Amino acid sequence: MSNAHSAPRRPIVARLIRVLSIPIIVFWVLVAVGLGLLAPSLDAVADKHSVSLAPQNSPAFHGMMNIGHVFKQFDSDSTAMVVLEGQDKLGDSAHGFYNRIVTKLHADRGHVENVQDFWSDPLTAAGSQSPDGKAAYVQVFLVGAQGTGPSKKSVAAVRDIVASVPSPPGVKAYVAGNTVLNADVSVAGHKSLQLMAVVSIGVIVVMLLIVYRSVVTAMLSLVIVGIELFAAQGITATAGNLNIIGLTPYAVSMVTMLTIAAGTDYVIFLLGRYQEARSAGQDSEVAFYTAYHGVSHVILGSGLTIAGACMCLTMCTLPYFNSMGLPCAIALLVIVAAALTLAPAILAVGSRFGLLDAQRELSTRGWRKVGTAVVRWPVPIIVVTLVIAIIGFVSLLTYVPQYNDEKFTPTDMPANVAMKAAERHFSQARMNPELLMLEADHDLRNPADMLIIDRVAKSVFHLHGIERVQTITRPLGAPIEHSSIPFQIAMQNSGTLQTAKIQNDNTAQMLEQADELSKTIANMEHMYAIMKQLTATTHDMVAQTHDIVDTTNELRDHIADFDDFFRPIRSYFYWEKHCFDIPSCWSLRSIFDTLDGIDELADQLQVMTGSLDHLDQLMPQILATLPPTIASMKTMRDFMVATHSTMAGIQAHQQELAQGSTLMGNYFDEAKNDDSFYLPPEVFKNPDFERGLKMFVASDGKAVRLIITHQGDPASVAGIKHVAGIKETVADAVKGTPLENAKVSLAGTASLYSDMQNGVKVDLLIACIASMILIFAIMLLITRSVVAALVIVGTVAASLGTACGLSVLLWQDILGLGVQWIVIPLSIVILLAVGSDYNLLVVSRLKEEIHAGLNTGIIRGMGATGRVVTAAGLVFAFTMMSMIVSDLRVVGQLGMTIGIGLLVDTLIVRSFMTPSIAAALGRWFWWPLNTFKIVNTGDAGAASDANTAPLPQFATT
């Protein structure tokens, strides 16, 4: 076995790399330069071939697409809000400005699918205008899935349209919305990527100078990293350009930073082991093989672990995760290939000239002391490290994910400026409503189904956190005016109130008639008194007339006696022709004529006496008729007065009832009470209502949509909770009704984030389990120890939990900015991958030193790897932390969280926790390896080689 320890192994791959070092270098340079010249840049490819970040398998996304399909308005999830803001209340000039914009939007069918123009219709205008009257908006559905190239072009087209229409004085137009924000985020991400790369390179240069104290070594390391970076970006960009993979701003940032950091780490691993071998007295060639043999499996295992963990992201359902898996995996595989070929080739060339030798003596004394402390007090150190981990985990318990992307993007971005203008007048909930659609198998345009629709709207409105629900039965969020049953009952009594004055006037005339009748009765009574007198007088007259007749008859008889005596003389006067001429003759003749008149007078008196007798008979009859007539008139007057009293009371009661129902209807309207909604059939023929039907009901009448506005920010944990019970509430509302089997579709900001929140839980579980299984398998293959592999996975899990908790403590609890929802789950997956390589390097080195004894092996292993792993961890950590310079705060938070995790892994887990656990477990740490055999073999070999120069040991079994 002494020969085994006296000469390093020279694997065929290492020999080929050393022999073909120049061609290998040329090949990688050609790959990096050629792809850089021939293929588009990664930024350009990401901009052109970007994929949608919307979870297209989520119920909310399917709901949105279904609503657009049923209403024949849109087939993408891209929307924008054109917001008008005025210094004063918007007037006719603002309406004209708005109409010109809407007309141009309607005309651009290449970028605009639908324009929901509510402000132009008086029926719905108040729903899209701010309460202060100084702002209004129109929602625009765009061509292209959100986040893709067509969507970005549509956003640019809408902005051009708005900019092309001259605005009136004091009025400005803005384009806002999540789609607009995503388009600006893509631009900001591309701009920030170059700055992040420059800063990270600067950080690496400084760290390499500190580690190696050699400009040449630092520059050669930087050249290696640069070639690897360009090659990885070129190959990734080519894959994206060929539509093999999709790209997002997050994926591009992560590809760049992971390749820089991982490439630098692997260079440090290789150079660190090479310089260690040189410090041990090996020549450059032997040191090359020692370095390659000592770290190649670590680089391969680490790279495969990171790439494999990234590949596990492809099993996720959310595009935020699965769109990042393949690009990062491809880039890491390129980095691993370059780290195993290009870096050793440059090392082989540089070592011939002594360019990469250490410029100072490499001391392991400090890390040996740490190893000694770990071996001496493993349990207390484990307890201390666990306490630190617990602090992180406790902080993680306070984590409240943030979903509003506006908080994590530059405030001067056009989309954020537009949103701020909108938020001066509208709540965030108004700008990000939920859409709910009921789809039935029959026409809903009838009073019965309207009752059910309003019942659904009312049930959803009464949910906690819902501010307003708009639909056909409540276009402005409140029930349609005058649609309550009490008001409609009141309207039925409106005729009573309208005729009340006439009825009251007529009733009052009855009193006037009674008064006139009283006057008539008084006149009749007065007439009766006169008639009594007249009857008595008539009776007296009749008696006196009879006396006159008797006297006249007696006078006539006496005159007849006289006439009988003087008749002959009388005849003479009538016979005498000249009697007219003889005065005495004419006088006597006249006397005789008078006597003849007495006969006529007697006859006439006789006739008049008969009439007077008849009159005397009639007058008592008339007199007898007047008292009953007067009594009847009095009765009529009493009846009229009584009727007036009755009718006045009835009318007063009817008017009181009508007034009460009218007040009840008015109060129901004023209170916006929706407990007694009803639409009569004639409403469906109303032109205004028909316009509302077009806005809220599908053209075939079989679907109706509801616009739901939250209380507070829908893009928040509270907003997500608000939508949790909407579908169940709808199901309860339609239970037992004709719409019981109606299909329910729900879409919107909160419902989409709710689906993503559920998706994160599933995806994180899948990715973590898959990553841990993969990491465990790779660690098991390399270490050949089940317990060691489990410890590596467990300590990595502990470090990532601590890192996430400390990140929450920093961003949420100390800075008060909150942590964007994607940061923690993505950091967990990335840290699972990148956090294992340091433990792998340490455990692999501990395994090499087992032959010296378990505790001695730990001390030696920590002394040998301490400087290299610490340098690599710090470089990786600070490289990831340099992402903080990005304009996208989410990218900065992601980099900081991963950086914190790497610091925890480097300074706590790798330095103390893992070796302490190895020391505490002793031989069990290496189970099922036979450590007794390895240690005994190592002791024998050491005894036989006691007088030979110390060489690195490579026992691995």
Side-chain angles (χ1 to χ4, degrees):
M1 293 300 297
S2 60
N3 293 333
H5 296 294
S6 61
R9 296 178 181 179
R10 296 183 177 183
I12 185 171
V13 175
R15 292 202 305 270
L16 286 175
I17 292 174
R18 185 168 179 84
V19 171
L20 301 176
S21 57
I22 300 299
I24 291 174
I25 295 172
V26 172
F27 168 78
W28 281 106
V29 171
L30 290 176
V31 169
V33 175
L35 290 177
L37 295 175
L38 299 177
S41 67
L42 188 61
D43 286 348
V45 174
D47 187 56
K48 184 178 180 181
H49 297 274
S50 57
V51 296
S52 174
L53 292 176
Q56 299 186 3
N57 293 326
S58 69
F61 184 85
H62 286 298
M64 176 67 76
M65 295 301 99
N66 189 40
I67 293 172
H69 172 73
V70 171
F71 279 82
K72 301 177 182 178
Q73 292 180 339
F74 56 87
D75 57 6
S76 77
D77 62 336
S78 294
T79 62
M81 294 283 190
V82 179
V83 182
L84 268 65
E85 182 185 30
Q87 296 178 355
D88 300 313
K89 289 188 176 181
L90 300 178
D92 294 337
S93 60
H95 269 281
F97 176 49
Y98 170 88
N99 292 335
R100 289 191 295 273
I101 292 176
V102 169
T103 300
K104 284 196 170 187
L105 290 173
H106 277 298
D108 188 1
R109 305 309 301 171
H111 300 99
V112 177
E113 291 187 338
N114 180 257
V115 180
Q116 288 194 341
D117 180 14
F118 288 166
W119 200 38
S120 297
D121 193 327
L123 180 67
T124 55
S128 60
Q129 184 169 339
S130 62
D132 59 7
K134 294 182 179 181
Y137 67 86
V138 56
Q139 187 173 20
V140 184
F141 290 89
L142 307 177
V143 173
Q146 189 172 161
T148 62
S151 175
K152 296 173 186 176
K153 291 180 180 178
S154 298
V155 170
V158 171
R159 280 175 165 165
D160 291 340
I161 288 174
V162 172
S164 67
V165 180
S167 62
V171 178
K172 290 184 179 180
Y174 303 90
V175 181
N178 288 334
T179 303
V180 182
L181 182 63
N182 286 336
D184 288 350
V185 163
S186 179
V187 175
H190 294 327
K191 289 182 179 178
S192 300
L193 187 59
Q194 295 179 353
L195 178 61
M196 286 192 302
V198 171
V199 172
S200 62
I201 294 297
V203 169
I204 290 174
V205 170
V206 172
M207 293 299 297
L208 291 176
L209 288 174
I210 294 174
V211 171
Y212 296 119
R213 308 289 178 88
S214 169
V215 175
V216 174
T217 304
M219 290 302 102
L220 283 177
S221 301
L222 197 60
V223 168
I224 296 172
V225 174
I227 295 174
E228 292 176 347
L229 173 63
F230 286 120
Q233 285 188 334
I235 293 175
T236 306
T238 302
N241 197 40
L242 295 176
N243 289 323
I244 298 175
I245 60 173
L247 294 169
T248 65
Y250 304 108
V252 171
S253 299
M254 192 54 63
V255 164
T256 301
M257 304 311 292
L258 275 180
T259 52
I260 292 175
T264 306
D265 259 14
Y266 300 152
V267 169
I268 292 175
F269 288 175
L270 184 64
L271 294 183
R273 190 62 184 270
Y274 172 78
Q275 291 181 353
E276 179 188 348
R278 291 286 288 159
S279 298
Q282 297 181 4
D283 60 33
S284 60
E285 182 178 356
V286 175
F288 169 80
Y289 290 114
T290 301
Y292 192 85
H293 177 75
V295 300
S296 59
H297 63 290
V298 175
I299 293 174
L300 181 62
S302 172
L304 292 178
T305 301
I306 300 175
C310 292
M311 286 297 294
C312 291
L313 290 174
T314 60
M315 295 186 291
C316 298
T317 58
L318 294 182
Y320 284 90
F321 300 144
N322 59 38
S323 64
M324 193 175 292
L326 274 176
C328 291
I330 291 173
L332 261 298
L333 290 176
V334 174
I335 293 297
V336 171
L340 293 176
T341 56
L342 173 64
I346 292 179
L347 174 60
V349 174
S351 64
R352 291 190 177 98
F353 303 97
L355 298 178
L356 297 173
D357 291 345
Q359 300 299 309
R360 58 189 176 90
E361 182 180 356
L362 301 180
S363 174
T364 61
R365 184 178 303 172
W367 284 105
R368 281 179 174 269
K369 289 182 178 179
V370 173
T372 303
V374 165
V375 170
R376 184 173 298 176
W377 301 292
V379 175
I381 291 176
I382 292 174
V383 172
V384 172
T385 55
L386 287 177
V387 169
I388 297 174
I390 290 173
I391 294 174
F393 277 97
V394 169
S395 300
L396 190 59
L397 295 177
T398 65
Y399 170 55
V400 178
Q402 299 294 317
Y403 295 92
N404 193 338
D405 293 336
E406 182 186 346
K407 298 178 180 179
F408 302 93
T409 52
T411 56
D412 59 349
M413 264 194 343
N416 286 338
V417 173
M419 187 57 72
K420 289 298 181 185
E423 289 175 357
R424 286 194 286 268
H425 308 277
F426 301 100
S427 66
Q428 290 182 339
R430 284 283 295 276
M431 304 302 291
N432 295 285
E434 304 295 314
L435 291 179
L436 175 68
M437 184 181 73
L438 288 178
E439 192 175 358
D441 56 359
H442 63 275
D443 197 330
L444 302 174
R445 292 169 291 189
N446 58 79
D449 285 321
M450 288 296 128
L451 287 172
I452 303 171
I453 291 169
D454 194 71
R455 180 181 177 183
V456 170
K458 179 175 64 176
S459 299
V460 174
F461 174 69
H462 290 165
L463 285 174
H464 173 71
I466 302 301
E467 182 180 78
R468 183 173 65 172
V469 177
Q470 295 172 264
T471 187
I472 181 59
T473 61
R474 45 182 74 204
L476 299 180
I480 296 176
E481 190 176 16
H482 309 328
S483 62
S484 65
I485 294 177
F487 187 87
Q488 294 179 41
I489 293 174
M491 290 300 294
Q492 295 176 359
N493 293 321
S494 60
T496 302
L497 293 178
Q498 291 173 359
T499 60
K501 185 177 184 305
I502 298 173
Q503 292 176 345
N504 290 336
D505 290 344
N506 289 338
T507 305
Q509 287 178 353
M510 292 181 68
L511 286 178
E512 295 177 3
Q513 291 176 4
D515 292 339
E516 292 299 324
L517 193 57
S518 295
K519 294 178 182 179
T520 303
I521 291 172
N523 291 333
M524 291 291 291
E525 289 175 341
H526 181 63
M527 185 185 300
Y528 176 68
I530 295 175
M531 282 298 288
K532 287 173 67 176
Q533 296 177 8
L534 182 61
T535 301
T537 302
T538 301
H539 185 70
D540 291 342
M541 286 177 59
V542 170
Q544 292 175 3
T545 301
H546 279 284
D547 291 342
I548 291 173
V549 169
D550 291 340
T551 302
T552 302
N553 288 334
E554 184 179 355
L555 178 60
R556 184 188 61 184
D557 291 340
H558 288 301
I559 292 175
D561 291 339
F562 175 76
D563 183 64
D564 290 340
F565 179 76
F566 285 99
R567 185 169 295 278
I569 299 172
R570 177 182 178 185
S571 300
Y572 169 77
F573 292 119
Y574 284 94
W575 293 337
E576 178 59 41
K577 300 180 180 177
H578 302 284
C579 189
F580 291 103
D581 298 329
I582 302 172
S584 58
C585 181
W586 179 253
S587 298
L588 290 173
R589 184 179 176 179
S590 298
I591 291 172
F592 283 114
D593 288 338
T594 302
L595 292 175
D596 290 339
I598 291 174
D599 288 335
E600 295 177 1
L601 177 62
D603 294 337
Q604 292 176 357
L605 285 174
Q606 189 63 38
V607 174
M608 184 180 69
T609 301
S611 297
L612 288 174
D613 288 339
H614 190 223
L615 179 63
D616 189 38
Q617 293 175 358
L618 293 176
M619 290 297 290
Q621 295 178 16
I622 294 174
L623 188 63
T625 305
L626 285 176
T629 301
I630 293 172
S632 176
M633 293 179 72
K634 287 183 178 179
T635 303
M636 289 174 59
R637 182 191 62 186
D638 294 340
F639 282 160
M640 190 173 293
V641 172
T643 301
H644 169 268
S645 296
T646 302
M647 290 185 66
I650 292 173
Q651 289 176 2
H653 184 62
Q654 289 177 343
Q655 292 166 21
E656 183 178 353
L657 291 176
Q659 185 68 30
S661 62
T662 301
L663 290 174
M664 177 178 65
N666 291 334
Y667 291 149
F668 265 77
D669 269 12
E670 292 175 6
K672 306 299 181 185
N673 189 289
D674 56 3
D675 292 332
S676 53
F677 174 83
Y678 175 69
L679 283 180
E682 57 269 17
V683 171
F684 292 85
K685 300 179 182 178
N686 183 288
D688 291 338
F689 191 76
E690 289 179 349
R691 294 202 316 275
L693 284 172
K694 294 179 181 179
M695 295 179 182
F696 292 103
V697 180
S699 57
D700 60 359
K702 294 183 178 180
V704 61
R705 62 182 170 190
L706 297 83
I707 302 174
I708 303 171
T709 304
H710 293 260
Q711 289 177 335
D713 185 5
S716 64
V717 174
I720 291 173
K721 290 180 179 178
H722 296 166
V723 300
I726 288 181
K727 286 190 175 181
E728 289 78 6
T729 300
V730 173
D732 290 340
V734 300
K735 185 167 54 180
T737 70
L739 298 184
E740 186 172 18
N741 297 320
K743 180 181 178 180
V744 180
S745 298
L746 180 64
T749 300
S751 55
L752 185 64
Y753 279 125
S754 177
D755 291 343
M756 286 197 292
Q757 188 181 60
N758 296 331
V760 165
K761 296 176 183 177
V762 176
D763 287 353
L764 192 59
L765 186 63
I766 293 173
C768 287
I769 292 176
S771 298
M772 286 184 176
I773 293 173
L774 176 66
I775 293 170
F776 174 76
I778 294 175
M779 299 301 107
L780 183 61
L781 286 174
I782 294 175
T783 63
R784 306 294 178 87
S785 169
V786 175
V787 177
L790 288 174
V791 169
I792 291 174
V793 174
T795 53
V796 169
S799 68
L800 67 87
T802 304
C804 292
L806 294 177
S807 180
V808 170
L809 181 65
L810 171 65
W811 293 104
Q812 176 180 290
D813 301 326
I814 297 177
L815 299 179
L817 299 176
V819 181
Q820 216 267 0
W821 67 275
I822 195 177
V823 171
I824 297 300
L826 195 56
S827 298
I828 289 174
V829 177
I830 299 298
L831 283 172
L832 271 174
V834 302
S836 60
D837 55 352
Y838 306 129
N839 274 337
L840 176 60
L841 182 63
V842 171
V843 172
S844 178
R845 192 57 184 271
L846 295 182
K847 182 182 175 183
E848 290 184 22
E849 302 294 343
I850 290 179
H851 64 275
L854 295 180
N855 291 338
T856 303
I858 292 175
I859 296 172
R860 287 184 179 182
M862 291 193 64
T865 61
R867 182 181 65 88
V868 176
V869 173
T870 302
L874 293 178
V875 169
F876 205 150
F878 290 130
T879 300
M880 299 306 295
M881 286 182 174
S882 64
M883 294 171 70
I884 194 68
V885 301
S886 173
D887 289 338
L888 304 179
R889 187 170 295 161
V890 60
V891 175
Q893 289 187 341
L894 184 60
M896 285 295 294
T897 305
I898 296 174
I900 292 172
L902 291 171
L903 289 178
V904 171
D905 190 71
T906 302
L907 302 178
I908 298 176
V909 174
R910 189 275 310 170
S911 300
F912 296 99
M913 182 179 286
T914 300
S916 297
I917 294 175
L921 293 177
R923 299 184 185 278
W924 286 106
F925 181 79
W926 300 104
W927 184 87
L929 289 178
N930 188 349
T931 55
F932 290 101
K933 182 178 179 180
I934 297 174
V935 171
N936 293 334
T937 302
D939 290 341
S944 62
D945 295 335
N947 298 322
T948 61
L951 293 175
Q953 308 301 316
F954 299 101
T956 57
T957 59

